[in-house]
Amino acid sequence: MKTTHTHNSCVTCPYPNSQASVRLFCFPYAGGSSLVFRPWFNNLPKTVEVCPIELPGRGSQMRLTPFSQLEPLVEFLASALLPHLDKPFAFFGHSMGALVSFELARLLCREYDTSPIHLFVSGRRAPQIPDPKPPVHALNEPEFIEELYRLNGTPKAVLENAELMQLLIPILRADFAVLETYVYAPEPTLNCPITAFGGLEDSEVSYDELQAWREQTNAAFSEQMFPGDHFFLHSAQSLLLQSLSRELERMTNDGKFFTPMTP
């Protein structure tokens, strides 16, 4: 039986690194878990402590009900992250994770006067651009599964496993609802740099929609495109990690960090 939302840290850190100068919090795509980022631990600079986020409804947070709206999800995540913001930190989010990390950065700036030193957004159009597609989170099951096939993010073996899908569908419906009920509200732009990553064959996010993230920062903006569809995060993983490593090394070498929050 699922429990209601209680403060239960969803910050995972399988390989603690007390010598790291930066924490990188990683936010998965819809239906994804912290395991998405398992290959990252040995492929990023030793100065970085990789901390994947486990969203309610999956992994160690399986007993928690998944959120179906963005605002309460971000508030829940902020309370979980606060004890971990005692050193400079950056956010990486792919697809749904990009939107979650963006709104979390805005909340931390607005309510706690702290900010990531860098926001990496991946496979997601800028938040001010409305979703052009009709919502899918309330489709009947056959149509919903058909949409999952089209997105190409769920392995075919999982889609064809009825038992697994009964566990996964409620999580996916909730995650899609988070995205499809989101309403962008203008706020002051972020002061941290933003890097946007995209897939050259991604039919979900165009180059112009990725470029529009530029409007969300007062600081530097850059973008990089990789071969692959919406899930280039996996298919072009080595290239993505090389790019992330370069940027993270540059940040740690510069030593230009915002003042971390005292918990």
Side-chain angles (χ1 to χ4, degrees):
M1 181 178 173
K2 298 265 185 180
T3 63
T4 54
H5 299 115
T6 57
H7 186 269
N8 185 346
S9 182
C10 49
V11 179
T12 70
C13 189
Y15 300 101
N17 178 5
S18 60
Q19 303 307 307
S21 52
V22 177
R23 284 197 179 104
L24 179 65
F25 297 103
C26 302
F27 300 81
Y29 46 78
S33 76
S34 63
L35 296 181
V36 167
F37 302 104
R38 178 178 280 179
W40 290 34
F41 298 112
N42 296 320
N43 290 289
L44 288 175
K46 300 302 180 190
T47 52
V48 178
E49 186 175 54
V50 181
C51 300
I53 300 300
E54 194 74 274
L55 297 177
R58 58 218 90 188
S60 61
Q61 306 296 306
M62 192 172 285
R63 293 184 64 82
L64 297 184
T65 306
F67 284 90
S68 56
Q69 290 187 304
L70 189 66
E71 188 174 346
L73 170 57
V74 167
E75 290 171 355
F76 174 82
L77 290 174
S79 65
L81 257 68
L82 288 177
H84 303 274
L85 304 185
D86 56 334
K87 63 171 59 178
F89 62 97
F91 287 165
F92 174 92
H94 183 77
S95 196
M96 170 179 146
L99 185 61
V100 170
S101 60
F102 166 71
E103 284 294 347
L104 181 57
R106 294 214 293 180
L107 184 149
L108 291 173
C109 182
R110 183 173 67 243
E111 297 188 13
Y112 299 97
D113 196 28
T114 191
S115 170
I117 58 171
H118 207 107
L119 176 62
F120 297 97
V121 291
S122 174
R124 178 74 191 175
R125 66 181 176 279
Q128 70 273 18
I129 300 173
D131 190 345
K133 302 195 311 295
V136 302
H137 69 270
L139 290 175
N140 65 42
E141 195 161 299
E143 290 176 332
F144 188 71
I145 291 174
E146 188 178 322
E147 178 68 11
L148 297 178
Y149 271 104
R150 190 189 67 77
L151 286 171
N152 197 32
T154 309
K156 191 176 179 185
V158 173
L159 289 169
E160 292 175 353
N161 184 317
E163 193 173 342
L164 272 179
M165 288 306 291
Q166 289 313 302
L167 295 172
L168 190 57
I169 282 176
I171 296 167
L172 283 163
R173 285 194 189 278
D175 286 356
F176 281 33
V178 164
L179 296 171
E180 292 169 353
T181 60
Y182 171 71
V183 179
Y184 174 75
E187 283 184 24
T189 50
L190 295 172
N191 293 319
C192 64
I194 294 178
T195 299
F197 299 123
L200 289 165
E201 290 84 46
D202 187 357
S203 60
E204 299 296 305
V205 185
S206 71
Y207 179 76
D208 288 345
E209 289 173 330
L210 203 66
Q211 277 280 324
W213 279 100
R214 185 186 299 273
E215 298 172 27
Q216 296 297 337
T217 180
N218 293 319
F221 173 81
S222 59
E223 91 289 323
Q224 188 167 357
M225 304 299 288
F226 297 98
D229 63 12
H230 189 62
F231 288 93
F232 66 88
L233 173 79
H234 298 306
S235 61
Q237 186 175 85
S238 60
L239 293 173
L240 174 63
L241 290 174
Q242 285 170 27
S243 182
L244 263 177
S245 294
R246 282 194 301 271
E247 188 60 43
L248 290 164
E249 281 179 337
R250 188 190 65 75
M251 285 191 300
T252 52
N253 290 337
D254 286 352
K256 294 176 181 176
F257 296 138
F258 291 97
T259 304
M261 184 174 176
T262 303

